[in-house]
Amino acid sequence: MSGSNLGAVLVTGGGGYIGSHTAKALHERGYLPVVFDSFSSGSRDAVRWGPLVEGDIRDADALARAMAEHKAAAVIHFAGLIEVGRSMNQPELFWEHNVGGTATLLGAMRSAGVGRLVFSSSAAVYGQGGRGPLEAISEDALKAPASPYGDTKLAGERIIESACAAFGLTGVALRYFNAAGADPSGLIGEAHEPETHLIPLAIAAALGDGKPLTIFGDDFDTPDGTCLRDYVHVNDLAAAHVAALEASLGTGVFEAVNIGGGSGRSVREVVAAVSEAAGPVPHSLGPRRAGDPPSLVADVSRAAELLGWRAQCSDLATIVRDALAWESRPAYGRAGRRPVSAP
Ligand code: UFG
């Protein structure tokens, strides 16, 4: 483990799934991750690699104080609401936290003189329209979000881009595809409540901890009829944040970059991979879930060119192996399962 000689980085939402893996990667690289989190969804047990500032992303003073006190040279901004379905019912809340929170953060960065921001964006900014059924998505593809969640991520990017032009900030928005897996240490992992994601639900079904899995439709225009997604290991995502922090980009520059494994895997392929690792996955076929596009697969060439980043551990077998290790012994979260300490 290294020290913190590269300086402090404020990590908003650092108690969450991707935030905590990024905090660990920052620490290992030699930064001091200062986690700023309200724990409305993150976990205190996930904050292990630097100081914690408990606060709300809509609180400009608390943000500016945290940056000044720890002399942060940059911010990585994860804090926000992520559930697509909930955004359909409570769009105003998503705009307040995701867009209002980002605007508040930018104001605090401006007053504290912090010049670099890496932003947690999403493939949800693209939506479904304007491309062929199995076409990989490049960053300049049509942006037509299919949910208020996607709208707020796109709006967040737009304010950051304006701030870059207005006061010389350097901004990188990372558009995540399907984050999955867990750190092999067993210390941190995915712990959404409620969990809606395919891989943890398939594993829970195989372990007999959850309900049987429902496959949401097999009549899509894809090779086996189930949806294709681009799964990327959470530690590859974490490494992408470190690369974005360090990329040589000029003052006032804004870049948006896809972060995915770069290949599409179907729901049935995921079920087969989980069965292979964890035993049979009890499942049935159900109707389509509203808003699911048939295929979301990243063109990841810009990440390689601009950030020098490529996925290293995002093959499905590795993702499932690491997710299974976590789900078998979660160190926190996962209501109903008995948490155990790390091995
Ligand atoms: N699926 C099932 N059964 C389930 C859960 C999921 O068949 O019980 C299917 C979905 O229909 C989809 C695939 O598995 O085809 C993956 O679904 P997830 O819910 O795991 O992930 P999504 O692709 O829906 O969502 C992810 C992120 C969102 C982000 C979106 C971007 O979790 O935050 O990608 O498009 F908005």
Side-chain angles (χ1 to χ4, degrees):
M1 296 277 166
S2 13
S4 52
N5 51 314
L6 296 181
V9 177
L10 191 77
V11 183
T12 76
Y17 172 44
I18 304 171
S20 60
H21 286 78
T22 300
K24 181 170 186 276
L26 287 167
H27 166 76
E28 286 168 358
R29 179 77 175 171
Y31 295 94
L32 178 70
V34 177
V35 167
F36 185 95
D37 204 304
S38 68
F39 300 111
S40 62
S41 58
S43 170
R44 286 171 201 281
D45 296 326
V47 183
R48 313 179 62 112
W49 291 281
L52 166 67
V53 179
E54 197 161 345
D56 191 295
I57 194 63
R58 296 161 298 174
D59 184 343
D61 290 344
L63 285 162
R65 266 200 315 275
M67 287 179 226
E69 187 188 328
H70 294 281
K71 300 188 175 54
V75 175
I76 306 184
H77 176 36
F78 296 95
L81 303 177
I82 62 160
E83 308 91 337
V84 176
R86 185 177 174 208
S87 80
M88 302 285 192
N89 301 322
Q90 295 178 289
E92 72 289 2
L93 208 61
F94 278 66
W95 280 82
E96 183 191 338
H97 284 254
N98 293 3
V99 184
T102 300
T104 302
L105 174 65
L106 288 166
M109 289 181 71
R110 185 177 196 158
S111 66
V114 177
R116 183 168 292 222
L117 176 62
V118 180
F119 176 58
S120 208
S121 190
S122 168
V125 300
Y126 296 113
Q128 330 190 32
R131 60 177 190 274
L134 303 180
E135 200 179 310
I137 304 173
S138 73
E139 287 80 356
D140 40 17
L142 178 74
K143 316 295 181 302
S147 67
Y149 166 73
D151 288 333
T152 62
K153 286 295 172 186
L154 190 55
E157 289 191 9
R158 293 260 159 86
I159 331 177
I160 294 167
E161 186 168 13
S162 315
C164 291
F167 62 92
L169 182 73
T170 303
V172 183
L174 299 181
R175 294 179 181 151
Y176 315 149
F177 282 65
N178 287 61
D183 188 68
S185 68
L187 296 173
I188 48 178
E190 191 164 11
H192 298 117
E193 185 55 53
E195 188 53 78
T196 59
H197 292 103
L198 176 62
I199 292 178
L201 289 178
I203 290 173
L207 296 179
D209 278 351
K211 293 185 295 216
L213 183 75
T214 303
I215 293 179
F216 297 143
D218 72 346
D219 57 350
F220 292 91
D221 187 11
T222 59
D224 71 11
T226 64
C227 290
L228 293 178
R229 290 292 180 272
D230 184 336
Y231 296 92
V232 55
H233 195 293
V234 65
N235 275 350
D236 277 335
L237 270 179
H241 290 79
V242 177
L245 196 66
E246 296 182 343
S248 92
L249 299 169
T251 302
V253 168
F254 172 80
E255 298 283 354
V257 185
N258 288 341
I259 303 293
S263 68
R265 308 307 296 258
S266 75
V267 175
R268 285 205 189 281
E269 284 180 285
V270 170
V271 170
V274 172
S275 302
E276 175 90 1
V281 176
H283 66 274
S284 61
L285 183 62
R288 292 183 179 197
R289 182 172 66 177
D292 273 344
S295 166
L296 284 173
V297 180
D299 174 340
V300 287
S301 48
R302 190 180 285 177
E305 285 155 23
L306 200 72
L307 309 180
W309 174 90
R310 275 180 193 78
Q312 304 290 332
C313 53
S314 290
D315 60 284
L316 197 51
T318 303
I319 287 175
V320 168
R321 181 199 70 197
D322 291 349
L324 175 61
W326 166 256
E327 298 294 345
S328 306
R329 288 170 64 86
Y332 52 84
R334 298 302 186 211
R337 251 182 264 172
R338 193 168 58 86
V340 292
S341 51

